[in-house]
Amino acid sequence: LGGGTPIQTECGFEDSADDMFEFLMAASGPEPDEAKIRRYCDESVDHYHWLVECGVPFLAAFHPEPGLESPDESALVYSGGEDAYPFDRMVRPAPRAHKPQIAGTAGAFFMERMLAAVDALEHTRILADTSARALVVDGDEVVGVVARQAGADVTIRARGGVVLCAGGFVLDDEMVAEHCPEAARVMMRLGNDNDRGSGIKMARAFGADVQRMNATEVALPMTPPRSLVSGILVNARGQRFINEDTYYGRVGQEALFHQDGQVYLIVDEALAVPNAVGNRVTWVAETAAELGADIGLPEGALEATLELYNRGASEGRDPVFHKAGEWVRPLTGPLGAFDFTVENSIYATFTLGGLRTSVDGSVLSLDGSPIPGLFAAGRTTSGVAALGYSSGVSLGDSTFFGRLAGESAAGRASA
């Protein structure tokens, strides 16, 4: 959420729909959906107020550790590298992740409040233990679903339309192998037991188009503590490849897709502390040459990388990758290295690709035309996040475009 929400304003951060748009266009690409991002940003403040009206509370407090849900009830956090290079040079930085007011992780609490709001509606009925299996079609129109309930098939008529919002496909091994095989290397696949592509499969069986099925988010939780970003990340060639203070989702994507998941964090003695997920220094040596040899890096590579980095760091600068000056200082022996290779560390992934939809949530066919009566939202679709990601976008995407899809279906029902 952003564009100047009450939480942002009360915490002293200025934001606008245009600033939010510029950031998401840069961070969500390449080739992001401009029309979706434009509307998402323009109506983000209204969407915040809608969530509050549904009973979701937010506490106007800022949490300084980026990327993660706050351990306390604080709402606001940087969640996509907005305050790091290159985005801090493109647009005025502002934190945009809004966590509901509860200590620790907030997902279950958020769903509890949203489901209570749904249950309070006069003409809404929730069917538990009922799984949709297939679409019911009449000619070129979707008119309902076949579902499994209490061990038997039931058919449910849709007067306005069917909205598919069934998550992604990260737990479907066949779909992962076909579309994004790199994700199969990752230790942790984020999703519940139903993230098996069921919504995507149902729509594709009726001629729906898909988009960016190779797109995945990959988080490498290097921090907290935040102090670890004062170290330097190197690849199997002993070379740096990114500014360490950026969003750990960007670090993870770069590490897996462009560095073959072979990366190491080089630290000095002051930084040799366990991180929040239990990673510890694996190798320790007096010199960069010894450390590089222990890791198995090319001879002389780590020494050259550290010499170049320390030259700028002695002046508080990172002229190559532009890490913020507050995190830049020379690294001198004794030195240590964290093993952040994909085989030996926690990477966390989920899929971003899915059904191709219009801004109003209509599912599009292979020729680009809307399929009458079929709508979708959330990770079942290719939404705001094209190939890049910012934490919180999936919840924002599913609730915002889910509302538009529901409005579209309701409009058909009353027409």
Side-chain angles (χ1 to χ4, degrees):
L1 299 169
T5 67
I7 296 297
Q8 289 178 309
T9 301
E10 289 183 51
C11 289
F13 294 97
E14 294 184 22
D15 196 16
S16 69
D18 287 342
D19 283 353
M20 184 182 181
F21 173 78
E22 292 297 328
F23 168 73
L24 281 177
M25 284 293 291
S28 302
E31 300 182 1
D33 190 319
E34 182 173 350
K36 284 183 180 177
I37 293 176
R38 183 74 263 179
R39 184 159 183 182
Y40 183 67
C41 296
D42 286 347
E43 300 181 22
S44 184
V45 173
D46 290 340
H47 191 56
Y48 165 85
H49 287 296
W50 178 81
L51 290 168
V52 172
E53 290 168 3
C54 287
V56 181
F58 297 93
L59 176 67
F62 171 70
H63 181 62
E65 180 72 44
L68 295 172
E69 292 176 271
S70 61
D72 56 20
E73 295 184 347
S74 301
L76 202 60
V77 66
Y78 282 105
S79 69
E82 300 96 328
D83 58 339
Y85 182 86
F87 308 117
D88 61 343
R89 302 193 182 186
M90 296 178 180
V91 64
R92 173 180 53 189
R96 299 188 176 92
H98 289 59
K99 192 196 84 168
Q101 186 177 348
I102 189 172
T105 57
F109 172 73
F110 176 75
M111 288 304 298
E112 176 186 290
R113 291 301 177 94
M114 295 303 295
L115 287 171
V118 171
D119 199 40
L121 297 173
E122 182 179 354
H123 301 296
T124 300
R125 186 160 51 112
I126 297 175
L127 301 180
D129 297 321
T130 305
S131 57
R133 299 298 179 92
L135 299 173
V136 177
V137 299
D138 183 1
D140 65 348
E141 181 180 4
V142 174
V143 296
V145 295
V146 177
R148 192 74 174 170
Q149 185 180 69
D153 286 339
V154 296
T155 53
I156 303 171
R157 176 80 182 191
R159 290 184 295 120
V162 172
V163 181
L164 300 169
C165 195
F169 60 91
V170 73
L171 294 184
D172 187 287
D173 291 338
E174 290 185 5
M175 291 183 73
V176 168
E178 178 183 0
H179 299 292
C180 46
E182 297 92 343
R185 300 175 61 194
V186 171
M187 191 178 296
M188 180 183 292
R189 300 192 200 181
L190 295 179
N192 62 50
D193 288 343
N194 297 309
D195 278 303
R196 301 181 184 275
S198 60
I200 298 171
K201 293 173 184 176
M202 281 190 284
R204 291 190 79 177
F206 191 54
D209 197 9
V210 292
Q211 195 171 23
R212 305 187 186 96
M213 293 291 282
N214 65 315
T216 55
E217 162 61 351
V218 183
L220 174 55
M222 184 174 75
T223 63
R226 183 66 167 157
S227 59
L228 286 173
V229 304
S230 290
I232 60 170
L233 283 165
V234 300
N235 57 23
R237 297 180 297 278
Q239 300 169 339
R240 289 180 73 207
F241 57 91
I242 200 169
N243 51 309
E244 295 80 8
D245 60 340
T246 192
Y247 168 50
Y248 60 66
R250 290 176 56 79
V251 173
Q253 286 186 324
E254 176 67 26
L256 182 64
F257 298 132
H258 301 289
Q259 310 301 330
D260 194 34
Q262 304 302 299
V263 300
Y264 312 90
L265 178 68
I266 310 301
V267 298
D268 59 14
E269 192 170 15
L271 300 175
V273 296
N275 70 3
V277 295
N279 292 106
R280 297 174 179 271
V281 166
T282 303
W283 300 276
V284 176
E286 288 295 327
T287 67
E290 293 171 333
L291 184 62
D294 290 344
I295 298 171
L297 303 179
E299 185 176 353
L302 185 57
E303 301 97 291
T305 296
L306 270 171
E307 192 279 328
L308 176 61
Y309 177 76
N310 285 343
R311 194 187 313 163
S314 64
E315 301 174 355
R317 300 185 304 112
D318 179 16
V320 180
F321 289 97
H322 312 289
K323 181 162 59 179
E326 65 181 299
W327 305 114
V328 177
R329 61 174 178 77
L331 300 173
T332 57
L335 299 168
F338 285 81
D339 183 351
F340 282 135
T341 57
V342 68
E343 296 85 4
N344 298 315
S345 183
I346 294 177
Y347 287 52
T349 189
F350 54 89
T351 57
L352 299 177
L355 300 175
R356 188 159 69 98
T357 56
S358 64
V359 174
D360 70 356
S362 296
V363 174
L364 304 180
S365 64
L366 294 173
D367 65 7
S369 61
I371 297 175
L374 187 59
F375 307 89
R379 290 278 65 86
T380 298
T381 73
S382 175
V384 167
L387 293 172
Y389 192 76
S390 300
S391 282
V393 162
S394 290
L395 284 173
D397 202 329
S398 61
T399 54
F400 181 81
F401 290 101
R403 288 176 61 202
L404 297 184
E407 290 171 359
S408 298
R412 291 184 80 252
S414 61

